[in-house]
Amino acid sequence: MNRRLDGLGTTIFAEMSALATATGAINLGQGFPDTDGPEEIREAAVRALRDGKGNQYPPGPGVPELRAAISEHQQRFYGLPFDPDTEVLVTAGATEAIAATMLALLEPGDEVIAFEPFYDSYAACIAMAGAKRVPLTLRAPSFRPDLDELRAKITPQTRLLLINTPHNPTGMVLSAEEQDAIAALAVEHDLLVVTDEVYEHLVYEGAHRPIAALPGMRERTVSISSAGKTFSFTGWKVGWVTGEAPLVAAVRAAKQYLTFVSGGPFQYAIAEALALPDAFFTDFREGMRRKRDLLAKGLRAAGFRVYEPAGTYFITTDISPFGDEDAGAFCRALPERCGVAAVPNSAFYDDSEAGRSQVRFTFCKKDDVLEEAVERLARL
């Protein structure tokens, strides 16, 4: 194996999901819904298939209808104008968008500062680009970034800040003051910023605020999002990149040698999804808030220390009240102990001690599934 990939074997999501399947446990580890999204959007995909739309290679940057819909979405929700022809790129989910962006913008030896714990593909993509990840550790209970520490970590080799808000796995949402400070540092040091915003419609207090909208940031920011989390069609793998034309052109140059294109018929369906009325996005958020509260209450009753998330559809907990400090061992035993699968946050840290006792659960499941999981967890 390429030595850059040392330590990057089977993902923790695959391991825990396989364990859930083998034991018949309720899978609250991997973040995929157990119900499909809106019926009219599923039917839009069927209609596209039948009409022959996207069954052959779609255009490399994405079908025009979807690129226009992404542009309109950014304008509608955030007042950010993007040219659909030069400033929008469709990708095979946000994961490919992250990979293509890292490969396009990083040189070997560059440093990337990223919030830790981080989504595991960040580490792999930075490594594949030959760059070095520099973690900025978010610590319980608030998981807020230490801005003085961030400033101290910037060196002449720092090329890029990789931001994720709402943040997976902690559910932290950057405040306006934190975003302003991060933007000021990026401008001061002439850094690129890549921002992963896949949970943009799952902010439970206030609203999502893209860093690209701040002064001096549009020209240096690559914004990434996807349809999977918002519309509950994670298997369709439709993501996108927005940014100024030179940045998007660079990402497109790398992306074309990864998948080239993907998901043709689904692109037409997601174009319709992005145009759904405001009520859809509101109901989606409020439904997830209710599920969050249901699971959080059950986890507390079971004995976990719960760090209530301000965004995403994940809850981070601490297992110390059980007299246990090893989240990996705890999660590997949990399906047999009570029939529930979760994910150890330690898998998302370079400093595994920082997240040693943290366990992540997802609540993007049916109410009766969450209620059954809570009943099982009560056995602990």
Side-chain angles (χ1 to χ4, degrees):
M1 182 183 288
N2 184 326
R3 65 179 181 275
R4 292 177 182 173
L5 299 180
D6 283 350
L8 299 173
T10 302
T11 72
I12 192 66
F13 305 113
E15 181 185 352
M16 291 299 111
S17 289
L19 185 58
T21 300
T23 59
I26 295 173
N27 189 353
L28 300 188
Q30 193 168 4
F32 59 86
D34 56 1
T35 55
D36 287 345
E39 180 63 23
E40 64 264 40
I41 304 307
R42 183 163 54 179
E43 285 303 310
V46 173
R47 187 170 67 251
L49 282 163
R50 289 175 174 158
D51 293 346
K53 297 171 70 175
N55 291 336
Q56 308 306 326
Y57 293 134
V63 302
E65 291 87 344
L66 178 54
R67 285 185 279 118
I70 293 166
S71 176
E72 290 161 8
H73 172 276
Q74 299 301 89
Q75 179 70 58
R76 169 185 171 189
F77 285 98
Y78 312 123
L80 282 170
F82 289 102
D83 183 333
D85 293 325
T86 62
E87 298 184 320
V88 178
L89 173 66
V90 177
T91 60
T95 302
E96 188 197 36
I98 293 163
T101 301
M102 296 299 109
L103 292 171
L105 301 181
L106 294 174
E107 298 277 0
D110 285 343
E111 293 181 355
V112 177
I113 300 176
F115 293 157
E116 178 188 52
F118 32 62
Y119 181 55
D120 61 353
S121 78
Y122 295 174
C125 294
I126 293 167
M128 286 188 285
K132 177 185 177 183
R133 65 183 180 272
V134 178
L136 180 71
T137 306
L138 308 179
R139 301 186 186 280
S142 68
F143 298 108
R144 307 234 64 87
D146 183 326
L147 298 175
D148 291 332
E149 184 181 356
L150 173 59
R151 175 180 286 278
K153 286 180 178 290
I154 297 173
T155 74
Q157 286 71 49
T158 305
R159 168 75 166 164
L160 189 151
L161 304 179
L162 179 50
I163 307 300
N164 175 210
T165 183
H167 181 258
N168 174 17
T170 70
M172 181 275 297
V173 175
L174 287 175
S175 68
E177 294 75 17
E178 288 164 342
Q179 283 189 310
D180 290 344
I182 291 169
L185 285 172
V187 172
E188 177 186 347
H189 294 276
D190 194 23
L191 302 176
L192 294 171
V193 174
V194 176
T195 175
D196 176 352
E197 304 178 12
V198 298
Y199 297 100
E200 60 188 305
H201 290 292
L202 285 176
V203 175
Y204 300 116
E205 302 298 333
H208 179 62
R209 181 182 188 239
I211 202 166
L214 302 184
M217 293 305 293
R218 194 183 192 282
E219 61 267 31
R220 68 182 67 252
T221 301
V222 174
S223 300
I224 293 171
S225 194
S226 75
K229 307 304 183 184
T230 298
F231 301 110
S232 300
F233 290 115
T234 57
W236 291 9
K237 296 301 291 180
V238 178
W240 52 84
V241 166
T242 57
E244 289 209 336
L247 290 172
V248 172
V251 177
R252 184 170 63 245
K255 179 263 186 297
Q256 67 187 339
Y257 296 112
L258 297 175
T259 60
F260 180 50
V261 293
S262 61
F266 300 135
Q267 292 190 32
Y268 291 96
I270 295 304
E272 295 189 27
L274 287 169
L276 287 170
D278 289 356
F280 166 80
F281 297 93
T282 300
D283 291 348
F284 170 65
R285 182 183 67 246
E286 292 308 309
M288 284 296 176
R289 184 203 303 272
R290 181 177 47 76
K291 292 174 185 291
R292 177 198 67 176
D293 295 346
L294 189 163
L295 182 57
K297 181 180 178 181
L299 289 167
R300 289 190 186 97
F304 292 87
R305 181 178 299 124
V306 174
Y307 304 120
E308 188 165 291
T312 77
Y313 48 45
F314 302 108
I315 294 178
T316 287
T317 66
D318 193 289
I319 58 174
S320 299
F322 297 108
D324 203 327
E325 296 291 332
D326 187 340
F330 183 91
C331 287
R332 290 178 180 91
L334 192 62
E336 290 288 354
R337 289 179 67 186
C338 65
V340 176
V343 166
N345 271 15
S346 51
F348 308 133
Y349 284 86
D350 281 348
D351 177 6
S352 58
E353 288 302 310
R356 181 173 173 79
S357 61
Q358 295 173 14
V359 171
R360 190 194 79 173
F361 294 85
T362 185
F363 49 89
C364 59
K365 308 293 180 180
K366 296 175 185 174
D367 286 2
D368 59 343
V369 172
L370 293 175
E371 289 164 358
E372 173 64 20
V374 164
E375 185 175 321
R376 295 183 183 189
L377 288 164
R379 302 172 194 168
L380 293 172

